Amino acid sequence: MSSLHDSYRFNDSYDSDLCLSLSDYVYFENSSSNPYLIRRIEELNKTANGNVEAKVVCLFRRRDISGNLNTLADSNASEYDNLSVREESKQPTVSEQQKHQLKHRELFLSRQFESLPATHIRGKCNVTLLNETDVLAGYLEKEECFFYSLVFDPVQKTLLADQGEIRVGSKYQAEIPDKLAEGETDTRIQEKLETKVWDPDNQLKDPQIDQFLVVARAVGTFARALDCSSSIRQPSLHMSAAAASRDITLFHAMDTLQKNGYDLAKAMSTLVPQGGPVLCRDEMEEWSASEAMLFEEALEKYGKDFNDIRQDFLPWKSLASVVQFYYMWKTTDRYIQQKRLKAAEADSKLKQVYIPTYTKPNPNQIMAPGNKPGMNGAAGFQKGLSCESCHTAQSAQWYAWGPPNMQCRLCASCWIYWKKYGGLKTPTQLEGEVQGLSPFTTSGGRAKLLAKNRQTFILQTTKLTRIARRVCTDILQPRRAARRPYASINRMCVCVCMTPTQTCITCAHTYSDM
């Protein structure tokens, strides 16, 4: 057993250790007061100084994306509910609190990678792709279980579906004609419905067809020798012959036989017209070496997402061309060599790591009187405060939550929920989930928190005072009075100016009622 920086163990197992493998979903802690980050381990690399770094795929919560994208995610959830109804899925009704907590279980996958130290891993969790047959309430019954259905692009700030649309409905179904009655003939014009490419009942024998295919390959090799661009890409004779032996030559030869009524003499003359031999090239020959390198780079980044490969790397190619090139590229020696290199590289990398359980106290813990206070000075908390989430007043341990001067706190259970799920158990204005952002990042949310524990007072004026402000504008001059608050106002002038209906607000003189 080898150790790294007294924090890792390999090839050995301990009950108290956290065993991590590739493709595991884990919690990462980047801040003692913020929720955990959720990441998927792609690689485990041992650094030169003996530490372990994990290359991870980033997953985002609702609180990490903008309000507009949260609205888009809500509309996607509504479409999911409608699809569940159409598929007669027995989705139980959920309460408002459950809907609130389900938002904490929703994640957004991304293609963003980052490297993080393995010492910041705090545990494992489960993340699954949402299916229309899943029962959403079931995620709340499982601990540390999340789901995702949309992909978030942090650069473009977009949300896209991770899986293709399920094509359900009459517009996606084939129209099957009625069965012909006995003795009834088919009056449809077959040439408009289909194209005949080969007749198995032709007059040629199999040896004759094979001989014609050999001639077609020879003509293809000769055509490549005459073509300047092909000679650059296929400099040797055996490479040109190999290119002429691929399926594109076979398809062209059989199509030539079909068009010439399986007449070998006519088919031969079609292969070598008066202008020179016919050259048929497939995608492997049409693509240049630089385009092939771009394709391999894109495949490494996006996998088999051919739409993104074409859009970001090869926009001048058609989607059909990219797909055809991929399946032909998989038959080449280069693909086999790359596969072997990746397998050898994977064997040399770490596949499993054991991390001891993290036992250091969180600096947000509210220490009891007499103990050493936390980093946020939590020892001075007022007595009688309740949990911001569940409003309980009894807990074995309390944690500071939010700005230190607000003295908000969470019980032990709600603190663990906050760290793992990124929200509070019950909806609250302090959490700021309506905007999809942390409440401490906006001035509005900060103002609400500042006003939470302050004593408030209301300065309420009488109706007559408000009337005097409007009727006696020339005498009171509110703007001038605001600039000179200590200048006296002539009360008699105000009394004379006002209609005698109420008691004067300045000299207490009583007038008749209205």
Side-chain angles (χ1 to χ4, degrees):
M1 180 184 70
S2 61
S3 63
L4 294 179
H5 203 256
D6 297 331
S7 298
Y8 311 95
R9 297 187 179 93
F10 304 98
N11 304 325
D12 203 351
S13 178
Y14 293 87
D15 292 338
S16 59
D17 293 346
L18 179 64
C19 176
L20 300 175
S21 303
L22 301 182
S23 301
D24 280 346
Y25 292 91
V26 294
Y27 295 117
F28 268 92
E29 185 173 36
N30 67 339
S31 173
S32 60
S33 57
N34 290 336
Y36 293 137
L37 306 176
I38 297 180
R39 301 289 186 261
R40 186 181 69 202
I41 299 178
E42 290 294 309
E43 295 179 6
L44 291 169
N45 301 316
K46 184 177 178 180
T47 60
N49 57 1
N51 294 329
V52 172
E53 282 189 350
K55 181 182 177 182
V56 296
V57 176
C58 300
L59 291 96
F60 296 88
R61 305 179 190 267
R62 275 180 171 263
R63 68 194 312 271
D64 301 324
I65 64 177
S66 64
N68 294 334
L69 293 182
N70 269 285
T71 304
L72 183 61
D74 291 335
S75 63
N76 179 75
S78 300
E79 293 177 1
Y80 168 82
D81 293 338
N82 296 334
L83 180 61
S84 300
V85 172
R86 289 200 305 267
E87 293 298 314
E88 298 182 357
S89 172
K90 295 183 179 180
Q91 289 283 352
T93 57
V94 293
S95 62
E96 291 299 324
Q97 182 172 351
Q98 287 178 321
K99 291 181 180 179
H100 169 78
Q101 294 180 1
L102 278 173
K103 292 183 178 181
H104 301 158
R105 303 298 184 102
E106 183 178 12
L107 301 176
F108 303 102
L109 185 66
S110 75
R111 295 190 180 96
Q112 178 176 325
F113 292 87
E114 62 183 9
S115 295
L116 298 173
T119 51
H120 291 185
I121 297 177
R122 297 294 179 259
K124 293 198 294 185
C125 58
N126 297 318
V127 181
T128 57
L129 176 63
L130 182 64
N131 191 282
E132 63 270 12
T133 59
D134 291 343
V135 178
L136 285 177
Y139 286 94
L140 299 178
E141 300 172 359
K142 303 174 184 177
E143 290 293 330
E144 303 175 357
C145 188
F146 300 86
F147 65 89
Y148 74 92
S149 61
L150 301 175
V151 177
F152 173 59
D153 188 344
V155 178
Q156 302 294 333
K157 306 296 182 184
T158 57
L159 281 178
L160 298 174
D162 185 63
Q163 55 185 349
E165 179 186 1
I166 299 177
R167 297 184 175 182
V168 178
S170 58
K171 62 180 180 179
Y172 299 111
Q173 306 303 316
E175 296 181 2
I176 302 175
D178 297 332
K179 185 178 179 181
L180 295 175
E182 186 175 355
E184 184 181 0
T185 58
D186 190 359
T187 58
R188 297 178 301 174
I189 303 175
Q190 296 296 328
E191 289 75 10
K192 293 184 178 180
L193 300 176
E194 56 190 6
T195 302
K196 191 175 184 178
V197 296
W198 185 256
D199 185 5
D201 298 328
N202 59 77
Q203 67 271 21
L204 297 179
K205 297 181 181 180
D206 290 344
Q208 291 177 302
I209 297 175
D210 294 338
Q211 290 174 353
F212 182 77
L213 294 179
V214 172
V215 173
R217 295 190 186 100
V219 171
T221 305
F222 180 58
R224 283 168 174 78
L226 296 178
D227 185 66
C228 296
S229 60
S230 295
S231 63
I232 296 174
R233 297 175 185 175
Q234 309 288 351
S236 61
L237 178 61
H238 74 277
M239 293 181 67
S240 297
S245 301
R246 290 202 287 261
D247 291 341
I248 188 67
T249 305
L250 173 64
F251 296 154
H252 175 65
M254 300 182 74
D255 186 55
T256 302
L257 284 175
Q258 169 67 21
K259 289 181 178 178
N260 291 276
Y262 300 93
D263 188 334
L264 288 178
K266 291 183 179 180
M268 290 287 187
S269 61
T270 305
L271 286 179
V272 188
Q274 193 170 7
V278 175
L279 176 60
C280 299
R281 294 188 296 196
D282 54 20
E283 295 297 335
M284 289 297 295
E285 293 180 274
E286 292 289 348
W287 288 45
S288 64
S290 58
E291 289 174 337
M293 294 293 291
L294 282 175
F295 174 80
E296 292 177 358
E297 181 183 350
L299 194 68
E300 183 72 21
K301 180 178 180 180
Y302 292 133
K304 293 190 294 183
D305 196 335
F306 299 116
N307 284 311
D308 288 349
I309 290 176
R310 175 183 174 273
Q311 181 177 354
D312 294 346
F313 284 83
L314 299 161
W316 57 90
K317 295 289 186 181
S318 65
L319 184 60
S321 176
V322 174
V323 174
Q324 290 178 18
F325 180 81
Y326 167 75
Y327 285 103
M328 299 190 71
W329 174 78
K330 288 188 67 175
T331 64
T332 60
D333 292 337
R334 180 171 176 82
Y335 168 77
I336 298 175
Q337 292 174 1
Q338 287 188 357
K339 195 173 182 180
R340 289 174 179 173
L341 289 175
K342 288 183 179 180
E345 185 180 358
D347 290 339
S348 63
K349 291 183 177 180
L350 300 176
K351 295 183 178 61
Q352 200 172 57
V353 61
Y354 293 89
I355 301 179
T357 304
Y358 186 77
T359 57
K360 292 183 180 180
N362 191 291
N364 284 61
Q365 285 187 9
I366 300 176
M367 310 301 290
N371 294 341
K372 186 177 179 180
M375 292 176 60
N376 60 352
F381 267 63
Q382 299 178 3
K383 295 182 179 180
L385 294 179
S386 60
C387 175
E388 293 291 336
S389 177
C390 64
H391 308 294
T392 183
Q394 302 293 330
S395 179
Q397 181 63 55
W398 294 94
Y399 293 85
W401 181 75
N405 59 327
M406 291 301 96
Q407 296 191 353
C408 301
R409 65 180 186 175
L410 298 176
C411 64
S413 175
C414 293
W415 175 258
I416 294 175
Y417 187 93
W418 159 258
K419 293 291 287 184
K420 290 183 177 180
Y421 303 112
L424 302 183
K425 293 181 179 179
T426 55
T428 172
Q429 292 182 351
L430 297 180
E431 194 177 2
E433 287 191 339
V434 176
Q435 292 80 12
L437 300 173
S438 173
F440 318 120
T441 59
T442 60
S443 58
R446 193 176 296 113
K448 291 180 181 179
L449 289 174
L450 289 174
K452 178 177 181 296
N453 290 320
R454 292 180 178 176
Q455 290 184 350
T456 59
F457 68 94
I458 300 175
L459 182 61
Q460 186 176 4
T461 59
T462 63
K463 292 182 179 180
L464 201 58
T465 303
R466 294 193 292 271
I467 294 174
R469 289 174 180 172
R470 294 180 179 274
V471 175
C472 308
T473 305
D474 296 338
I475 299 175
L476 294 177
Q477 298 181 357
R479 181 174 295 183
R480 182 173 180 273
R483 293 174 180 174
R484 301 178 62 187
Y486 298 105
S488 58
I489 298 175
N490 191 343
R491 296 183 299 173
M492 297 303 297
C493 293
V494 174
C495 292
V496 172
C497 179
M498 288 185 60
T499 303
T501 56
Q502 295 287 342
T503 301
C504 179
I505 60 174
T506 55
C507 61
H509 184 76
T510 303
Y511 293 90
S512 60
D513 295 335
M514 294 179 63

